[in-house]
C-alpha cells in the first residue's frame, strides 16, 4: 500500500484534485480530476496519470451542489482505492495568507480563524478555499492538512514595494499590495531552469495571466525563494513588470 497526499484547489464553482504517491525523491502523480459546475450542472471526472478516465458522473442542470457535496463525492470515489493507497495528508491552495503567512502552514482551529478574517481581502476566493478544509476536518479530524498560500511568494519584496500611496491608517487595516498567483510563479521559477537551461543575453522570461501583472523572478531561478528583479522596462530592481495596457 502506497502513502499518498491529496492536493485540493477549490474555486468558486469547482474543486480540482490531484493524488500523489510519496517516493524517496519525488511525488508521483497517481490520479487527478475535478468537480466543476458547482451551483449549475455539476460534472465529476477523474483520470490516471496517463489521462485515462477512471470515473465520471454528471448531475442535472440546477442541482444544488456545495463544496461539501463535492468533497463527499471525491471521498466516495477514493474509497475504491483504499486498498491501494493510504492517505497521509491533504494540501490546499489558499489564495490569501495576509502579512503573517509567508510559507505553508499546518491547519488547525487558530489558523482557520485567522484565514477567515482575510475573507474581506479576497471575498471571491477565500471562502471557497476554506470550505474543503472544513469538510475534510469534519470527516477526518486527525488527518494532517497544510495550507499553501498564493500570496506567500511575494512576501519577500521590500516593504516599500508592498505599499500603496495611502495614509498609514488605511495601510494598517491591511490595504496593501499582496501579489497573487504565487504558487504558479514559484513552480515556474523552479522548473524553468531545468526545462530551458540556456537563454540568450538580454532575454527575459516572464509568466503572465490575463487578470494579473507580469512577474519576473531573476534568471536563473534557483532555490526558493527566488530573488525579485524586474525587466529593463521597470525602474526599480524589486518591481514586478506592469501588465500590458489594454487601452487604445
Amino acid at each position: 500500500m502506497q502513502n499518498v497526499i491529496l492536493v485540493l484547489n477549490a474555486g468558486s464553482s469547482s474543486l480540482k484534485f490531484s493524488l500523489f504517491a510519496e517516493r524517496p525523491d519525488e511525488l508521483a502523480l497517481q490520479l487527478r480530476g475535478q468537480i466543476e459546475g458547482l451551483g449549475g450542472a455539476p460534472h465529476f471526472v477523474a483520470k490516471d496519470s496517463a489521462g485515462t478516465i477512471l470515473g465520471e458522473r454528471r448531475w442535472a442542470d440546477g442541482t444544488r451542489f456545495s463544496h461539501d457535496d463535492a468533497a463527499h463525492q471525491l471521498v466516495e470515489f477514493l474509497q475504491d482505492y483504499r486498498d491501494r493507497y493510504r492517505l497521509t495528508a491533504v494540501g490546499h491552495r489558499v489564495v490569501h495568507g495576509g502579512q503573517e503567512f509567508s510559507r505553508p502552514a499546518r491547519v488547525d482551529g487558530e489558523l482557520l480563524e485567522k484565514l477567515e478574517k482575510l475573507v474581506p481581502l479576497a471575498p471571491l476566493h477565500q471562502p471557497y478555499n476554506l470550505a474543503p478544509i472544513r469538510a475534510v476536518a469534519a470527516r477526518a479530524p486527525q488527518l494532517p492538512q497544510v495550507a499553501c498560500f498564493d500570496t506567500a511568494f511575494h512576501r519577500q519584496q521590500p516593504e516599500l514595494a508592498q505599499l500603496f500611496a495611502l495614509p498609514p491608517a488605511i495601510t494598517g487595516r491591511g490595504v496593501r499590495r499582496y501579489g497573487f498567483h504565487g504558487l504558479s510563479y514559484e513552480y515556474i521559477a523552479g522548473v524553468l531552469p531545468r526545462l530551458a537551461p540556456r537563454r540568450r543575453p538580454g532575454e527575459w522570461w516572464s509568466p503572465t495571466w490575463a487578470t494579473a501583472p507580469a512577474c519576473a523572478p531573476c534568471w536563473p531561478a534557483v532555490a526558493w525563494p527566488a530573488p525579485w528583479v524586474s525587466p529593463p522596462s521597470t525602474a526599480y530592481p524589486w518591481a514586478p513588470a506592469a501588465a500590458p495596457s489594454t487601452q487604445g
Side-chain angles (χ1 to χ4, degrees):
M1 182 178 291
Q2 295 188 85
N3 289 340
V4 294
I5 297 172
L6 177 64
V7 178
L8 299 179
N9 180 358
S12 59
S13 61
S14 68
L15 176 64
K16 298 180 176 68
F17 64 90
S18 296
L19 195 71
F20 293 91
E22 299 180 44
R23 301 284 171 77
D25 57 349
E26 66 174 354
L27 295 175
L29 178 65
Q30 305 296 300
L31 307 172
R32 61 184 175 86
Q34 66 177 347
I35 306 171
E36 60 182 350
L38 303 184
H43 172 218
F44 167 81
V45 63
K47 302 177 181 179
D48 64 15
S49 58
T52 302
I53 294 179
L54 302 174
E56 187 170 17
R57 182 177 177 184
R58 296 180 183 273
W59 289 263
D61 192 10
T63 300
R64 296 180 62 86
F65 215 79
S66 66
H67 285 76
D68 191 68
D69 295 325
H72 178 76
Q73 169 62 32
L74 177 56
V75 169
E76 189 176 85
F77 168 76
L78 292 176
Q79 288 297 315
D80 293 338
Y81 296 87
R82 62 183 180 274
D83 294 333
R84 185 186 308 178
Y85 301 126
R86 180 189 297 111
L87 186 60
T88 60
V90 181
H92 300 266
R93 176 216 177 192
V94 177
V95 163
H96 222 300
Q99 299 178 59
E100 180 174 354
F101 299 105
S102 59
R103 62 190 64 191
R106 177 78 176 264
V107 174
D108 57 20
E110 181 181 0
L111 177 73
L112 272 176
E113 185 177 342
K114 291 179 178 179
L115 297 182
E116 185 69 38
K117 292 179 180 179
L118 298 176
V119 167
L121 296 178
L124 300 181
H125 299 84
Q126 194 83 346
Y128 305 109
N129 298 157
L130 302 183
I133 295 179
R134 294 192 180 94
V136 171
R139 288 174 169 79
Q142 302 306 315
L143 184 64
Q145 297 192 79
V146 175
C148 302
F149 306 100
D150 260 334
T151 51
F153 179 84
H154 308 282
R155 292 281 62 73
Q156 64 183 296
Q157 295 186 61
E159 179 69 11
L160 180 61
Q162 301 183 45
L163 299 178
F164 292 110
L166 294 171
I170 297 178
T171 300
R173 295 170 60 188
V175 180
R176 56 171 52 216
R177 301 179 194 274
Y178 289 98
F180 295 100
H181 299 283
L183 294 174
S184 294
Y185 288 135
E186 181 181 351
Y187 172 76
I188 293 171
V191 302
L192 190 56
R194 174 170 54 84
L195 298 177
R198 299 180 180 179
R199 71 178 179 99
R200 293 183 294 273
E203 182 178 49
W204 287 85
W205 294 62
S206 176
T208 59
W209 279 262
T211 58
C215 172
C218 77
W219 186 285
V222 286
W224 163 255
W228 274 75
V229 301
S230 55
S233 60
T234 57
Y236 301 99
W238 43 259
S245 173
T246 57
Q247 303 297 319

